[in-house]
Amino acid sequence: MRIKQIITDEDKKNLEYMLKFKYRMPYVPFGNEELSRKLIHILTPILYPLSGLVYYIGNYIAFSFVLLVAILSTRWIIWFHSKGKKYEQKVDDIIYTLSKISEVTIDEEKILYDDEVEVKYSDIKKVVFYKSFVFIFIKIKGYFILKLNNEEGNYLKTILDQHSEISQEIRNEPFNILEYIEKNVIKVE
């Protein structure tokens, strides 16, 4: 079965929502992530002198609170610049790569991406169905993402049912893809 991969802007937003763990952030301050980050970067250095001023005034509880917020903000900034930015860039690259895949061929023996990348069912360890997306975790290579409609998804499920070594899961809620990668993908150094 040949499948045309058409990724809409709405699909990109849904995938980004899950992959960037936005479902774990019920509230974004100021309604904009970029503005929130800029404010944390600007206000964090101000919190340290403010905590000193509060200490000088003699309000030790407020001093402890302001100093704690300053330390937590500093830790977040360090984490964001060391790991968070890189992860967000990877997610952006994944979504960009997914939008470039134009055609997927699914048959009884393999899945073929744009007549270039071939994935045999014996290499697949786990398949997770989430909304219209299918996450295919490959033992060594990593994972692939497909966008399928109901008919295409059912066709893939019938083929996967023939392979008992492939674990299948249907998710209705967003999930942490990093945990799936750690459990299902063998890293080759």
Side-chain angles (χ1 to χ4, degrees):
M1 173 182 270
R2 284 190 157 318
I3 300 168
K4 289 280 187 192
Q5 291 287 288
I6 300 171
I7 308 297
T8 63
D9 289 339
E10 186 66 29
D11 293 329
K12 289 178 184 177
K13 285 180 185 175
N14 287 336
L15 198 56
E16 183 179 348
Y17 175 79
M18 192 200 79
L19 293 176
K20 288 188 178 178
F21 305 112
K22 290 184 179 182
Y23 61 91
R24 289 189 178 175
M25 296 184 287
Y27 172 72
V28 176
F30 309 106
N32 184 333
E33 286 179 40
E34 195 62 36
L35 179 62
S36 300
R37 288 181 189 148
K38 285 180 183 177
L39 283 174
I40 287 176
H41 281 82
I42 292 169
L43 294 178
T44 298
I46 295 171
L47 289 174
Y48 287 103
L50 180 64
S51 68
L53 178 65
V54 172
Y55 181 80
Y56 179 74
I57 292 173
N59 191 343
Y60 302 115
I61 294 173
F63 162 73
S64 300
F65 178 74
V66 172
L67 188 60
L68 177 67
V69 170
I71 291 169
L72 291 175
S73 297
T74 304
R75 288 188 65 187
W76 182 87
I77 290 171
I78 291 168
W79 171 85
F80 180 73
H81 286 288
S82 65
K83 294 184 181 173
K85 243 183 194 177
K86 292 175 189 172
Y87 180 74
E88 283 192 351
Q89 184 59 44
K90 282 183 184 178
V91 169
D92 292 340
D93 292 345
I94 290 167
I95 293 170
Y96 175 74
T97 303
L98 178 64
S99 64
K100 285 179 59 178
I101 295 175
S102 60
E103 191 172 82
V104 176
T105 305
I106 300 174
D107 61 26
E108 300 290 326
E109 300 169 7
K110 65 187 175 299
I111 299 173
L112 191 62
Y113 294 86
D114 282 336
D115 295 328
E116 294 175 8
V117 180
E118 181 179 299
V119 177
K120 295 185 178 174
Y121 293 110
S122 59
D123 295 333
I124 297 174
K125 187 163 185 185
K126 186 173 192 94
V127 176
V128 178
F129 294 88
Y130 170 70
K131 294 186 178 181
S132 63
F133 297 104
V134 178
F135 295 85
I136 301 173
F137 295 93
I138 313 300
K139 292 177 185 170
I140 295 177
K141 297 175 186 171
Y143 64 96
F144 292 100
I145 303 172
L146 297 175
K147 182 183 181 243
L148 304 176
N149 62 29
N150 285 340
E151 178 187 333
E152 297 160 346
N154 290 335
Y155 178 73
L156 180 61
K157 284 178 191 174
T158 57
I159 293 174
L160 293 174
D161 288 340
Q162 298 169 4
H163 301 274
S164 60
E165 72 277 1
I166 299 174
S167 144
Q168 299 180 50
E169 186 176 335
I170 297 173
R171 300 291 304 245
N172 296 321
E173 297 294 320
F175 60 94
N176 184 349
I177 193 168
L178 298 176
E179 290 176 3
Y180 281 82
I181 292 171
E182 288 174 9
K183 291 177 185 174
N184 297 298
V185 176
I186 301 167
K187 294 183 179 171
V188 179
E189 299 291 326

